[in-house]
Amino acid sequence: MPDHQANGVKSAREDRFQGHDYYNIDALLSDDHLLARDAVRNWVKQEVSPIIEDYSNRAECPYHLFKGLAEIGAFGPSLPEEYGGGGMDEIAYGIIMQELERGYSGVRSMASVQGSLVMYPIYRFGSEEQRRKYLPKLASGEMIGCFGLTEPDHGSNPNGMITNIKEDGDHYILNGAKMWITNSPVADVAVVWAKDEEGIVRGVIVEKDMPGFSAPEIHGKWSLRASITGELVFEDVRVPKANILPKVKGLKGPLSCLSKARYGIAWGAIGAAMDCYDSALRYSQERIQFGKPIGQFQLTQKKLAEMITEITKAQLLAWRLGTLANEGKATPAQISMAKRNNVHMALEIARESRQIHGGMGSTNEYPVMRHMMNLETVLTYEGTHDVHLLITGLDITGLNAFS
Amino acid sequence: MKLLVCVSKTPDTTAKIAFKDNNSAFEEDGVQFIMNPYDEWYALVRALEVKEAVGGSVTIINVGPAANDTIIRKGLAIGADSAVRIDANPQSAMFVARQIAEYAKGEDFDAIFVGKETIDHNGSEVGAMVAELLDQPYISFANHLELDGKVATISREIEGGVEVAELEVPFVLSAAKGLAEQRIPNMRGIMMAKRKPLKVVPPTAFEDQAVVVSYELPPAKAAVKMVDPENLDELVRLLHEEAKVI
């Protein structure tokens, strides 16, 4: 019998997660926020936790969760109800992302992409016809969407993109390729950013059955294994002019979508961090070494105390950012700071938590290493850790380190 | 069908239980409260299913202070149409039953659903008292309900079997596991709940005939004693002399 079982440590396969709120931040939240949090937390415990280790292990996407995410209202919760959204505020959106990522970063990605990167640009920059055509179906999960900005040779520098559109009568001819696109192999629609003949970035809605459009899957990831990622390849794809997003020109279009998604990630990372802390805290009380729980050793307490301190700081950052976002005052640079800080915080906590769990932390008996591997990706997607630092640098010095 | 579902507020199952005022009252500070699961998962959801099948309305009722509005909102988010809160600190099952019966008298509900018990006091009393006060039939621990017009067929588990009863509306039932399956409110439901009516009604005067004098916690669990698998004599000795079970 393995040592940990002899000591009475239970498997984490049963999701025993409890939220952590050291500074009583719940008091800053409304009833709606708390109801939304408990609803999504319950949904994750019922639908995600029991299956995610298995899907993750097999590197398979649990597609059926799209339907469940739509049913609980995780797609576009802050968009108006008339388009299928939830009419909630930005803090509610953040809390939903936190709870989804508590279960699995890839499930949060499903909702982030659908809501912030597909529904949001169609709502914000689309025509009324486009809103009516796509948003209710995206909200209900009848359609899956993806977002194409990053290219094989242009990641942190999206302005260098080579994907382009050329006018041809009442169509645009789209050529180019996009890379690292969450959900692309299963998407019904893609919001794609491409340069027009004047070199101005425009958004177009590409549908999966348009000839010349393909979305091959990217295999071999050691991270976000239960999330499907692919490319978008466009070879003379004829996109009707009615599919261009009329209300935006230039990089601010895709960047404003990324701000929305990064905002959600700043909250989401707290979920992953709380799950790792929660597991470590429980394990440290159950695991006996040298005749006492390892939580009684000073070095374990240091790790745990620093974890809850960092989680508390991240929660306050997210709450304040959410309050600013509700007032329409959150700047992209403020969002960068929160995304960068919180994801790095979560990754560090995952690593420390893994140490507390010892060898068991590397197995799928506990959620820790799974979170850690996912967070390694979250650290660089939606703007790398380094680039977000330089955004803060630019914001405070006025000097651009990118050019 | 016009249905009333009685919902209680209870401490979360993970709450640490402590008492105050010389062990005569439950310490609510720092305790997370939830809707009593038997009310939420089974009574409310089955009532909603009945409404969805045959039409009508579902009202939830709670006896409690304004702080209970949070759990009432959850009931509305799950799908109840309206809510009533009797604005009083519930003192006993009899007090709660009196308030509910008083409200229900004027409303002509076809059926009243309660959870089979609350997970804190585990009294299982309110449903029976409400039925008696309204002079209506009562089925406890229902785990299956079918309605055909005004006739209800209700099953309940009994020792070693199942008892099936047939009765006409109006009636009162208490809901056990199996009557329905938990529903998680969705975001749209949470937002709609804000627009649904929550009526606050003053309580009817009523004096309790019994008062709780004190509460006690169960004795703390003793530490586990590990016995070497080779040393069966010691195990037998401990079972005989300390545990006194053999």
Side-chain angles (χ1 to χ4, degrees):
Chain A
M1 184 187 280
D3 192 20
H4 74 284
Q5 287 178 3
N7 277 339
V9 177
K10 287 181 196 156
S11 161
R13 285 295 179 84
E14 180 203 348
D15 185 350
R16 293 192 281 161
F17 176 77
Q18 287 180 38
H20 295 277
D21 180 20
Y22 199 73
Y23 261 37
N24 194 17
I25 297 166
D26 276 8
L28 300 170
L29 303 176
S30 70
D31 279 356
D32 305 339
H33 299 146
L34 299 176
L35 275 173
R37 182 185 63 195
D38 291 349
V40 180
R41 188 172 291 173
N42 277 333
W43 182 80
V44 165
K45 283 192 177 190
Q46 281 181 21
E47 304 294 330
V48 179
S49 304
I51 60 148
I52 201 63
E53 295 291 355
D54 180 44
Y55 277 87
S56 207
N57 208 15
R58 289 187 286 115
E60 193 181 319
C61 178
Y63 300 115
H64 65 280
L65 293 182
F66 279 114
K67 191 166 168 284
L69 284 165
E71 280 169 5
I72 58 164
F75 294 152
S78 56
L79 293 183
E81 289 175 65
E82 61 173 313
Y83 300 110
M88 304 185 104
D89 70 4
E90 296 297 333
I91 291 181
Y93 170 65
I95 285 173
I96 294 167
M97 296 302 119
Q98 169 188 297
E99 291 303 317
L100 292 178
E101 190 140 11
R102 206 283 298 173
Y104 191 71
S105 296
V107 175
R108 198 265 307 135
S109 296
M110 282 172 159
S112 289
V113 169
Q114 186 90 342
S116 291
L117 299 182
V118 181
M119 295 174 71
Y120 174 74
I122 293 173
Y123 171 70
R124 172 95 188 270
F125 307 124
S127 65
E128 195 54 33
E129 295 74 46
Q130 290 168 344
R131 288 173 164 190
R132 303 259 168 224
K133 180 177 178 187
Y134 296 109
L135 292 179
K137 287 184 176 171
L138 287 161
S140 69
E142 195 180 326
M143 274 186 171
I144 302 302
C146 68
F147 174 90
L149 176 66
T150 296
E151 299 189 352
D153 295 324
H154 300 91
S156 293
N157 176 23
N159 206 30
M161 72 171 67
I162 50 176
T163 299
N164 62 86
I165 50 172
K166 289 190 171 62
E167 278 195 68
D168 182 29
D170 54 2
H171 283 74
Y172 289 103
I173 310 295
L174 172 65
N175 277 290
K178 300 290 182 181
M179 188 79 174
W180 302 118
I181 310 303
T182 299
N183 295 343
S184 80
V186 294
D188 301 289
V189 289
V191 170
V192 177
W193 302 92
K195 280 184 175 166
D196 67 12
E197 284 154 284
E198 294 166 23
I200 296 169
V201 172
R202 301 298 306 269
V204 288
I205 303 169
V206 182
E207 299 188 16
K208 72 172 174 190
D209 50 6
M210 289 179 176
F213 171 35
S214 60
E217 186 177 346
I218 296 170
H219 293 283
K221 293 176 296 169
W222 282 115
S223 177
L224 294 173
R225 287 167 61 80
S227 172
I228 192 162
T229 314
E231 303 171 47
L232 297 171
V233 181
F234 312 106
E235 291 173 90
D236 291 327
V237 180
R238 291 178 65 79
V239 182
K241 278 191 172 168
N243 281 30
I244 201 154
L245 296 175
K247 294 184 195 161
V248 72
K249 286 182 178 179
L251 261 189
K252 67 175 182 289
L255 293 184
S256 67
C257 302
L258 291 175
S259 280
K260 282 272 167 198
R262 289 165 181 170
Y263 167 81
I265 294 170
W267 282 89
I270 298 170
M274 279 202 291
D275 204 32
C276 292
Y277 167 72
D278 183 65
S279 185
L281 181 63
R282 203 176 303 110
Y283 191 84
S284 73
Q285 289 158 348
E286 293 173 353
R287 168 74 172 170
I288 309 291
Q289 285 294 285
F290 304 103
K292 57 186 179 183
I294 59 171
Q296 204 173 328
F297 292 98
Q298 288 187 2
L299 288 176
T300 307
Q301 289 194 1
K302 175 181 189 286
K303 289 186 178 71
L304 292 168
E306 286 179 349
M307 283 183 199
I308 192 62
T309 307
E310 290 306 313
I311 287 170
T312 304
K313 284 152 72 178
Q315 286 170 328
L316 287 165
L317 205 60
W319 174 80
R320 179 61 192 148
L321 186 68
T323 307
L324 288 170
N326 279 345
E327 294 165 357
K329 291 178 188 163
T331 67
Q334 286 170 332
I335 293 169
S336 283
M337 182 186 279
K339 189 269 182 186
R340 179 177 186 275
N341 180 78
N342 290 9
V343 174
H344 187 252
M345 169 283 300
L347 179 57
E348 288 297 315
I349 284 177
R351 290 171 177 162
E352 294 284 296
S353 170
R354 214 288 299 159
Q355 283 194 54
I356 290 175
H357 287 79
M360 287 312 295
S362 69
T363 71
N364 60 9
E365 290 289 307
Y366 294 90
V368 181
M369 191 108 170
R370 175 166 54 75
H371 280 307
M372 188 209 295
M373 296 205 299
N374 289 341
L375 290 163
E376 288 287 355
T377 294
V378 182
L379 191 72
T380 60
Y381 82 6
E382 300 266 3
T384 69
H385 189 62
D386 288 346
V387 163
H388 283 302
L389 185 80
L390 296 179
I391 290 171
T392 307
L394 167 61
D395 198 46
I396 58 177
T397 64
L399 303 170
N400 191 340
F402 300 106
S403 59
Chain B
M1 281 277 161
K2 187 176 171 186
L3 304 170
L4 181 69
V5 180
C6 310
V7 300
S8 286
K9 182 184 80 169
T10 60
D12 193 4
T13 46
T14 57
K16 290 194 170 59
I17 304 300
F19 301 109
K20 61 178 182 182
D21 300 342
N22 214 8
N23 285 339
S24 67
F26 174 55
E27 176 59 82
E28 296 198 354
D29 269 5
V31 172
Q32 178 102 21
F33 287 96
I34 58 171
M35 196 190 310
N36 179 41
Y38 290 106
D39 303 340
E40 179 192 328
W41 300 354
Y42 311 125
L44 175 57
V45 176
R46 189 67 188 116
L48 292 171
E49 288 170 351
V50 169
K51 182 196 103 170
E52 286 156 7
V54 304
S57 66
V58 174
T59 301
I60 52 178
I61 187 167
N62 171 264
V63 180
N68 288 15
D69 286 355
T70 310
I71 63 130
I72 294 172
R73 288 282 173 213
K74 185 177 188 189
L76 294 170
I78 292 170
D81 301 286
S82 61
V84 176
R85 180 168 60 78
I86 311 292
D87 193 19
N89 270 314
Q91 302 301 322
S92 66
M94 194 61 193
F95 179 90
V96 170
R98 288 258 181 202
Q99 305 302 331
I100 292 170
E102 202 58 38
Y103 176 79
K105 263 178 200 162
E107 293 285 330
D108 281 334
F109 290 105
D110 292 299
I112 299 175
F113 291 17
V114 302
K116 71 164 183 161
E117 61 185 337
T118 51
I119 61 167
D120 47 11
H121 293 272
N122 307 86
S124 288
E125 294 169 303
V126 171
M129 289 171 171
V130 169
E132 179 62 22
L133 290 167
L134 294 174
D135 195 20
Q136 289 182 8
Y138 174 63
I139 304 284
S140 61
F141 305 105
N143 63 6
H144 192 78
L145 161 72
E146 289 300 327
L147 268 164
D148 184 6
K150 300 236 169 249
V151 179
T153 308
I154 302 174
S155 310
R156 60 194 295 276
E157 276 183 24
I158 55 173
E159 190 67 39
V162 174
E163 182 180 86
V164 183
E166 204 176 87
L167 67 166
E168 280 195 18
V169 297
F171 60 83
V172 180
L173 75 72
S174 82
K177 189 177 174 184
L179 189 68
E181 276 186 32
Q182 182 188 7
R183 277 189 193 179
I184 294 174
N186 64 25
M187 300 308 126
R188 182 169 281 209
I190 290 170
M191 295 311 279
M192 280 169 63
K194 287 163 59 159
R195 301 194 285 268
K196 290 177 176 175
L198 194 173
K199 194 161 83 176
V200 180
V201 177
T204 308
F206 168 75
E207 198 148 327
D208 263 317
Q209 289 154 310
V211 287
V212 174
V213 182
S214 71
Y215 294 99
E216 276 175 34
L217 287 172
K221 275 186 198 160
V224 173
K225 271 194 184 148
M226 304 296 283
V227 180
D228 192 301
E230 303 299 317
N231 196 353
L232 288 178
D233 290 345
E234 174 66 3
L235 179 64
V236 171
R237 188 191 69 78
L238 286 170
L239 288 172
H240 181 64
E241 290 176 14
E242 291 199 8
K244 297 190 169 76
V245 292
I246 53 173

